[in-house]
Amino acid sequence: MDDPRSYDVLLRPTPDDRARPGRAFLTDDALLLAPSRHGRLARVVGDAANGLFGHLPESLGLYDPHAVTRTEAIHGPETLRIRYADLRALAPFVRPTGFSLHLRVDGRSDDVRLAFRSNDERRETVELARELRRRASEAGVEVDYFDPGGRTRLLPLDEGT
């Protein structure tokens, strides 16, 4: 992770889009979802090098599939900005392929889909969902939960679980 208020994610702004590595940033008034600065070719080469060398390039800092800085996210034209006041519902869940968080946002017909791929993906999913719910509440919005369906199990957001 870049800092405590950012998360490495796989982004799918719409169901038709291909999942792209990127980073989610929490700002004072919005969630920023920014795709990696690496293009498809650079990601293929970087992922191949990581695979061949046991993730050594990534562990040495030579390659980061989620490479995007907060400044790039703030000024990037591909960044999706979701104001906390526009957040209507969220679904933190686990399925056989990993942990995900879907968001329903005012003004969008499709859910925004985030997937997590790390050693702490469950913690990150729950932590981001809790923080989004808290910030939306501070913006005067009560966020609902929804079940995305399929082979999923919703994750509890209560502090005791």
Side-chain angles (χ1 to χ4, degrees), residues 48-61:
N50 263 342
L52 285 172
F53 299 109
H55 291 279
L56 188 61
E58 191 171 345
S59 65
L60 292 175

Side-chain angles (χ1 to χ4, degrees), residues 28-31 80-90 102-112 132-144 146:
D28 291 337
D29 60 341
L31 171 68
L80 176 60
R81 290 161 179 78
I82 300 174
R83 293 175 352 120
Y84 304 124
D86 292 338
L87 188 59
R88 292 297 166 241
L90 51 80
H102 288 194
L103 306 172
R104 289 191 176 156
V105 180
D106 269 353
R108 294 183 60 92
S109 60
D110 295 320
D111 297 345
V112 176
L132 289 173
R133 181 177 64 174
R134 185 187 70 75
R135 290 175 185 233
S137 178
E138 288 176 357
V141 175
E142 190 61 37
V143 177
D144 293 325
F146 70 95

Side-chain angles (χ1 to χ4, degrees), residues 37-73:
R37 74 172 78 101
H38 299 305
R40 185 174 287 163
L41 180 61
R43 288 194 317 263
V44 167
V45 171
D47 290 343
N50 263 342
L52 285 172
F53 299 109
H55 291 279
L56 188 61
E58 191 171 345
S59 65
L60 292 175
L62 301 174
Y63 171 71
D64 179 5
H66 301 278
V68 62
T69 64
R70 184 176 297 277
T71 302
E72 290 170 332

Side-chain angles (χ1 to χ4, degrees), residues 1 7-8 116 118 120-128:
M1 288 192 306
Y7 301 87
D8 292 344
F116 296 80
S118 74
D120 289 331
E121 60 185 305
R122 183 188 199 289
R123 181 193 55 78
E124 291 176 355
T125 304
V126 170
E127 184 179 280
L128 180 57

